[in-house]
Amino acid sequence: MVSIDTGTTAAVAAANGHGSAVTKSATTADGVAFPPMSQSNGEKTEIDASRKRKMSIMPLEVGTRVNCRWRDGKYHPVKVIERRKLQGDGPSDYEYYVHYTEFNRRLDEWAKLDQLDLSSVETDVDEKVEDKVTSLKMTRHQKRKIDETHVEGHEELDAASLREHEEFTKVKNIATIELGRYEIETWYFSPFPPEYNDCTKLFFCEFCLNFMKRKEQLQRHMRKCDLKHPPGDEIYRNGTLSMFEVDGKKNKVYGQNLCYLAKLFLDHKTLYYDVDLFLFYVLCECDDRGCHMVGYFSKEKHSEESYNLACILTLPPYQRKGYGKFLIAFSYELSKKECKVGTPERPLSDLGLLSYRGYWTRVLLDILKKHKGNISIKELSDMTAIKAEDILSTLQSLELIQYRKGQHVICADPKVLDRHLKAAGRGGLDVDVAKLIWTPYKEQG
């Protein structure tokens, strides 16, 4: 990584063999480098003043706004969330946990001093004015992207609770995990037990989901662990894909470990320690070594609000392969088996919301094409198990429904439907209902 000049300029003049002056970069006692400066007295005075100002703000305070070099090599505005002391006694011997204000919290990270552009430091900025300026600077595409990743994030929290949540979870406690053959960078804070406070990496058994501090512990555990798949009933198998139903009451430790793991990649969900009330549907890729988890969804055993899904996650190494859409489709197939309509529990995560919008769009437009629009909202709901409110909001967002003479009328022009279907993208993996062997929970036992 190429270091950048983070301070103001200072010069050291020396005569070369021809009597002309050359300049060299200077370094402060605490290691902050400054590039060469010109010999003008006016410029020198101005630069010295600038240098003193910049040194006076070190170390940066929590809440400071500054530009930071990201992994794309470009500078982006950040807010300092936390700081910690490194070895050394100087004001520059700190690193800073920063939030990129243009991006989702999952990209928050610890940044070294040489990543920060100290000339861009803002300490006393009015929040509303700053947000307005940032909004004006963003392109339309960037703003849409940010809106998509922040919509429906914390609707269940009031302002005070949201501040408390963000304060408690502001710094990622676990940086990476090892799960099976993958090492995965985490996205968010997860409230692991206190004995794991000093860990930045955890090692998970990919079958029972027990987690350990050291690789050696995992290796010893794997020699003893006799599980090769999630501890539940296999209810679906199609080729190398299997789905297991895990009862949280019968497999409490597994359910809790799955919640700890999932919270590393989900910002908005409350971590449920009482997993007795939930069923977990764990999707696996299977080979001769066992069944390897790629994602899961959970649902309440009894939901008064008709929720057919409480939480959904596809692990990062398996994303963009159609598994998220498969999990959503699977939850609706279970609803059909129960002869109920269903809807996901709110709030949805950012990625969950986008996946559901895509799923509802594809399913509904396929039916509208076949029926040429001659179908009611109630009939669509009965056919798909999608709640009427979700159907209505989807069609309204696509501008395919109008309100005439006291009722909703679907407008299904074939060319418009084709355009929306193309924009919705591919549908992902299909659920072969003939290979689903499952009895609804209420009928078990």
Side-chain angles (χ1 to χ4, degrees):
M1 186 177 292
V2 180
S3 64
I4 60 169
D5 296 321
T6 56
T8 53
T9 57
V12 179
N16 63 15
H18 301 283
S20 60
V22 296
T23 58
K24 298 179 181 179
S25 61
T27 306
T28 64
D30 48 26
V32 180
F34 301 98
M37 72 171 189
S38 74
Q39 294 300 295
S40 166
N41 289 335
E43 289 180 356
K44 181 176 181 181
T45 302
E46 183 179 337
I47 290 170
D48 284 345
S50 177
R51 175 182 175 185
K52 287 178 181 178
R53 186 188 72 81
K54 290 185 179 180
M55 291 308 301
S56 70
I57 64 174
M58 300 298 296
L60 298 179
E61 296 292 336
V62 170
T64 298
R65 294 178 183 270
V66 64
N67 289 336
C68 181
R69 189 175 68 248
W70 192 47
R71 61 191 68 174
D72 63 358
K74 299 178 181 178
Y75 284 88
H76 298 270
V78 301
K79 181 178 181 180
V80 175
I81 303 299
E82 191 58 272
R83 69 183 187 187
R84 63 187 178 193
K85 196 84 169 68
L86 302 174
Q87 289 183 344
D89 299 322
S92 300
D93 295 320
Y94 283 84
E95 63 179 352
Y96 302 90
Y97 194 78
V98 298
H99 167 61
Y100 292 89
T101 57
E102 295 175 342
F103 305 135
N104 186 276
R105 285 180 66 203
R106 72 170 65 99
L107 297 178
D108 294 2
E109 63 181 359
W110 286 102
K112 302 290 186 185
L113 183 60
D114 67 356
Q115 292 176 251
L116 305 178
D117 175 13
L118 295 184
S119 65
S120 66
V121 167
E122 298 176 19
T123 52
D124 298 313
V125 180
D126 182 270
E127 293 282 338
K128 294 181 180 178
V129 173
E130 192 275 340
D131 289 342
K132 186 175 181 180
V133 171
T134 300
S135 179
L136 290 172
K137 288 181 179 177
M138 283 186 286
T139 65
R140 184 178 301 172
H141 172 73
Q142 286 174 321
K143 195 170 192 312
R144 179 173 58 81
K145 188 174 181 181
I146 294 162
D147 289 343
E148 286 176 348
T149 58
H150 284 84
V151 71
E152 293 197 21
H154 296 279
E155 278 79 350
E156 84 283 18
L157 301 178
D158 57 30
S161 299
L162 180 57
R163 284 194 297 272
E164 183 180 353
H165 164 81
E166 290 184 344
E167 176 64 26
F168 183 67
T169 65
K170 65 182 181 181
V171 179
K172 273 182 276 192
N173 50 340
I174 306 297
T176 56
I177 62 167
E178 185 173 306
L179 180 70
R181 60 193 180 94
Y182 292 105
E183 184 177 81
I184 309 171
E185 290 185 6
T186 63
W187 293 355
Y188 303 111
F189 171 92
S190 182
F192 284 91
E195 57 266 32
Y196 295 91
N197 286 350
D198 60 342
C199 297
T200 57
K201 181 176 180 178
L202 289 179
F203 300 85
F204 280 80
C205 170
E206 63 174 328
F207 301 118
C208 71
L209 296 186
N210 283 342
F211 45 88
M212 295 125 226
K213 294 182 178 182
R214 299 191 306 276
K215 179 80 169 182
E216 298 77 18
Q217 292 175 305
L218 175 63
Q219 290 170 338
R220 286 198 299 270
H221 169 84
M222 294 302 292
R223 289 194 287 268
K224 299 176 184 177
C225 185
D226 54 4
L227 276 180
K228 294 299 179 186
H229 57 75
D233 298 325
E234 186 178 18
I235 61 172
Y236 179 88
R237 181 183 291 184
N238 187 6
T240 59
L241 276 188
S242 286
M243 183 74 83
F244 292 83
E245 180 184 67
V246 181
D247 188 328
K249 186 174 183 179
K250 296 177 182 177
N251 300 279
K252 186 171 293 188
V253 174
Y254 181 90
Q256 290 176 342
N257 289 345
L258 180 55
C259 289
Y260 280 127
L261 172 63
K263 186 65 186 68
L264 291 169
F265 305 99
L266 296 171
D267 181 30
H268 69 295
K269 285 295 181 184
T270 302
L271 183 66
Y272 292 102
Y273 293 97
D274 183 8
V275 294
D276 293 15
L277 306 177
F278 291 87
L279 296 167
F280 299 90
Y281 294 89
V282 185
L283 180 63
C284 297
E285 284 183 353
C286 303
D287 57 25
D288 55 0
R289 295 187 300 111
C291 299
H292 315 283
M293 184 177 76
V294 304
Y296 86 103
F297 72 89
S298 60
K299 64 181 289 187
E300 289 183 90
K301 293 175 180 176
H302 305 287
S303 173
E304 296 179 0
E305 295 86 358
S306 300
Y307 293 144
N308 65 353
L309 184 145
C311 190
I312 182 171
L313 171 70
T314 303
L315 290 169
Y318 300 98
Q319 291 178 0
R320 299 187 178 277
K321 296 183 179 180
Y323 288 128
K325 296 163 188 171
F326 179 90
L327 290 170
I328 292 172
F330 201 95
S331 71
Y332 280 105
E333 293 302 334
L334 298 187
S335 293
K336 292 175 186 177
K337 288 265 188 181
E338 294 174 309
C339 299
K340 296 178 179 179
V341 296
T343 189
E345 181 180 322
R346 267 57 168 192
L348 291 168
S349 68
D350 53 347
L351 299 180
L353 175 65
L354 293 175
S355 295
Y356 266 97
R357 280 179 174 168
Y359 174 79
W360 291 330
T361 297
R362 284 185 298 273
V363 169
L364 296 175
L365 296 192
D366 279 338
I367 295 174
L368 290 178
K369 279 191 69 175
K370 292 174 184 175
H371 289 76
K372 298 182 179 178
N374 298 317
I375 192 169
S376 68
I377 301 292
K378 175 69 167 58
E379 289 169 327
L380 281 171
S381 182
D382 291 341
M383 293 173 66
T384 62
I386 300 173
K387 203 171 182 178
E389 289 84 348
D390 295 330
I391 294 174
L392 198 57
S393 66
T394 300
L395 295 180
Q396 285 174 336
S397 70
L398 298 172
E399 298 181 349
L400 293 177
I401 198 163
Q402 296 178 0
Y403 195 70
R404 298 176 185 169
K405 298 180 181 179
Q407 62 180 359
H408 290 100
V409 179
I410 297 172
C411 309
D413 182 284
K415 292 181 180 179
V416 175
L417 296 181
D418 287 336
R419 188 173 71 247
H420 284 309
L421 273 171
K422 186 176 181 180
R426 58 191 179 88
L429 305 170
D430 292 325
V431 179
D432 187 344
V433 183
K435 297 180 179 177
L436 172 60
I437 303 173
W438 181 73
T439 304
Y441 178 79
K442 65 180 181 180
E443 297 176 16
Q444 292 178 347

